[in-house]
Amino acid sequence: MSETSATARPPAEGLAAGQSADVIVVGAGPAGSAAAYHLAKAGLDVLLLEKTAFPREKVCGDGLTPRATKQLVAMGIDISEEAGWLRNKGLRIVAGGIRLQLDWPDLASFPDFGLVRKRDDFDQQLARQAEKAGARLYERCNVGGPLVDDRTGRITGVRARLGEDKIPVTFHAPLVVAADGNSTRLSVGMGLHRRDDRPMGVAVRTYFTSPRHQDDYLESWLELWDRRGSRPRLLPGYGWVFGMGDGTSNVGLGVLNTSDAFKELDWREVLKAWCASMPEDWGFTPENMTGPVRGAALPMAFNRTPHYSRGLLLVGDAGGMVNPFNGEGIAYAMESGHIAAEVIAQAHARATAAQRERALLRYPAVIKETYGGYYTLGRAFVKLIGNPKVMKLAAERGLTHPMLMRFALKLLANLTDPHGGDAMDRIINGLTRITPSS
């Protein structure tokens, strides 16, 4: 535990002097820690409030694409194998009895490798890096809601309960970043509710002791079958197997709410049945399970807007930043935290309140420019694959055409060079530019 952590000192010690800051960031997941790191690097006084204590469990596939890897490099994280990171070369796709290995593309904008690391340790590393940059981290700080100026309606801070004794405390700042995940009580407290016209996913996963723990590729199974009845049926989702390099494999599945099967099935039981269908020598059996099956929601495609309102900026899952094409959230959480920090730093330097507000309104505009058209395409994709027949046809036909699958990898993983690049990059970039953002 860092000596500067709130949990390393009595909760009340020095608290009165530290209750105000330039910015409060609520939530020390990837989005919040990235925002706090870049804000602190820009010279701002930042409070980073985390409701639990590190290390702590989070439901995740643990596999990071080159897009997320780039953000780790930007935060100065040591991503060497000696520091405990497992590198991967690309994605292995399995469907219809076919296995196709695709390397991550060789691009100027992103590295050509991904990483694997458990979320409890991963999040802790990011939070500690934000601390090293100068952010003041308070663990076991459960934020209950916003403080709002009755006259202006702007957020002026947050109410929280601190430490094991749950001491009531208030923190004050002219700007607050909501990085408190899908439920985001802070956003709801400011009247920003989830949009029902956006897709939602669910991820469930567990860990097994397995000989497959060392793997150079992330593995995705595009056909997810429910074989528990008299007639097998194809489900709207995909399964994954990620070797963790520590003797275990992360095995899970992601499903979309665009199918009739979404609400009627117990997805934990579906995962168990799917694991039971795997080759016996992989060890995906109950006796090899090292933890329970856990699940989490995947808020996709801007399912809560606006991303800036009255002094509050939404990042990561709080703003529904998960990629609807592939369910990836960490890269977009870190990117949105980085973008928010850059906008806030520029606004902080402005001389008047009106100028600062004008600069802050740039945040939702940049988010829309960056992801809007791409996420609109993703919503159409989600509706399409919600039909199991379409999903089955796409998997069977696509895997026999490696060139088409390389294009699909770039599209689904959002890995292109924005300027120049190859023909695939230009097609994908052109599609996202001409697709309206909504």
Side-chain angles (χ1 to χ4, degrees):
M1 184 70 68
S2 166
E3 292 182 0
T4 58
S5 283
T7 49
R9 59 178 182 267
E13 183 183 329
L15 189 57
Q19 283 180 271
S20 297
D22 295 324
V23 187
I24 295 169
V25 179
V26 179
S33 291
Y37 171 85
H38 291 291
L39 284 165
K41 277 293 194 179
L44 277 71
D45 182 17
V46 188
L47 283 169
L48 178 59
L49 311 181
E50 167 58 37
K51 68 179 179 180
T52 60
F54 291 109
R56 51 108 165 101
E57 176 76 289
K58 281 285 184 180
V59 176
C60 183
D62 298 328
L64 305 173
T65 69
R67 198 169 185 105
T69 302
K70 178 180 180 177
Q71 290 302 312
L72 291 172
V73 173
M75 284 185 65
I77 300 288
D78 179 1
I79 57 170
S80 66
E81 293 183 15
E82 293 74 19
W85 297 87
L86 183 67
R87 294 195 176 195
N88 58 75
K89 299 177 181 178
L91 184 67
R92 181 185 302 113
I93 301 172
V94 182
I98 300 173
R99 292 171 178 262
L100 180 64
Q101 284 191 173
L102 299 169
D103 289 348
W104 297 121
D106 185 9
L107 301 169
S109 303
F110 300 98
D112 64 349
F113 62 92
L115 297 165
V116 171
R117 188 145 195 153
K118 282 191 175 180
R119 270 297 297 272
D120 55 0
D121 186 32
F122 175 82
D123 284 14
Q124 183 174 10
Q125 286 210 27
L126 267 60
R128 297 290 176 247
Q129 194 74 351
E131 271 193 298
K132 289 177 185 176
R136 291 183 283 142
L137 172 65
Y138 284 89
E139 298 175 48
R140 295 192 182 96
C141 184
N142 194 347
V143 173
L147 297 173
V148 180
D149 187 308
D150 291 335
R151 184 177 58 85
T152 64
R154 292 182 66 87
I155 192 168
T156 60
V158 298
R159 296 187 303 273
R161 292 188 177 273
L162 184 62
E164 294 180 357
D165 296 329
K166 297 180 170 53
I167 298 172
V169 62
T170 58
F171 295 97
H172 300 275
L175 292 174
V176 179
V177 176
D180 49 346
N182 175 58
S183 59
T184 184
R185 284 190 295 173
L186 192 59
S187 302
V188 172
M190 288 291 289
L192 303 178
H193 298 281
R194 185 169 67 87
R195 296 178 58 163
D196 293 329
D197 62 341
R198 294 295 189 262
M200 178 69 76
V202 169
V204 292
R205 66 99 176 98
T206 190
Y207 295 94
F208 294 96
T209 301
S210 170
R212 293 208 57 195
H213 73 100
Q214 292 279 5
D215 198 338
D216 287 339
Y217 290 81
L218 305 179
E219 188 166 284
S220 180
W221 292 59
L222 300 188
E223 289 183 317
L224 186 62
W225 290 94
D226 179 16
R227 303 184 186 276
R228 294 172 301 159
S230 58
R231 295 183 59 187
R233 61 172 170 167
L234 189 63
L235 299 174
Y238 65 95
W240 70 73
V241 179
F242 298 163
M244 301 302 299
D246 62 355
T248 66
S249 290
N250 179 317
V251 184
L253 56 88
V255 293
L256 296 163
N257 67 350
T258 52
S259 164
D260 294 337
F262 181 77
K263 292 182 179 179
E264 67 182 69
L265 292 175
D266 182 336
W267 295 104
R268 287 171 172 80
E269 293 302 316
V270 173
L271 175 60
K272 291 176 182 177
W274 183 62
C275 290
S277 71
M278 294 294 190
E280 186 177 349
D281 60 353
W282 290 2
F284 298 161
T285 58
E287 57 269 23
N288 289 335
M289 194 180 293
T290 63
V293 176
R294 299 183 185 275
L298 302 175
M300 297 176 169
F302 298 163
N303 81 331
R304 186 174 276 105
T305 55
H307 291 116
Y308 171 73
S309 176
R310 294 168 291 148
L312 181 71
L313 298 89
L314 312 187
V315 296
D317 285 5
M321 303 284 186
V322 174
N323 182 346
F325 278 107
N326 65 0
E328 180 183 11
I330 289 178
Y332 303 92
M334 296 182 71
E335 285 179 5
S336 60
H338 194 170
I339 293 169
E342 289 181 337
V343 170
I344 290 170
Q346 291 297 325
H348 185 73
R350 304 294 171 91
T352 69
Q355 290 173 336
R356 288 191 289 273
E357 187 68 9
R358 190 177 304 118
L360 291 166
L361 287 169
R362 179 66 180 150
Y363 175 65
V366 173
I367 289 294
K368 232 176 198 185
E369 290 170 5
T370 305
Y371 307 124
Y374 179 76
Y375 280 4
T376 299
L377 287 174
R379 295 202 309 273
F381 173 80
V382 162
K383 288 181 180 178
L384 196 63
I385 66 169
N387 184 329
K389 293 180 180 178
V390 173
M391 184 66 175
K392 187 173 187 296
L393 181 65
E396 289 177 348
R397 298 288 176 87
L399 285 176
T400 60
H401 295 83
M403 183 69 74
L404 178 60
M405 292 309 297
R406 281 194 288 273
F407 177 85
L409 177 66
K410 283 194 167 192
L411 175 63
L412 271 59
N414 199 10
L415 292 172
T416 63
D417 276 326
H419 305 291
D422 61 16
M424 293 182 186
D425 292 0
R426 291 191 290 273
I427 291 170
I428 293 169
N429 295 338
L431 280 173
T432 58
R433 279 195 298 268
I434 65 173
T435 302
S437 174
S438 60

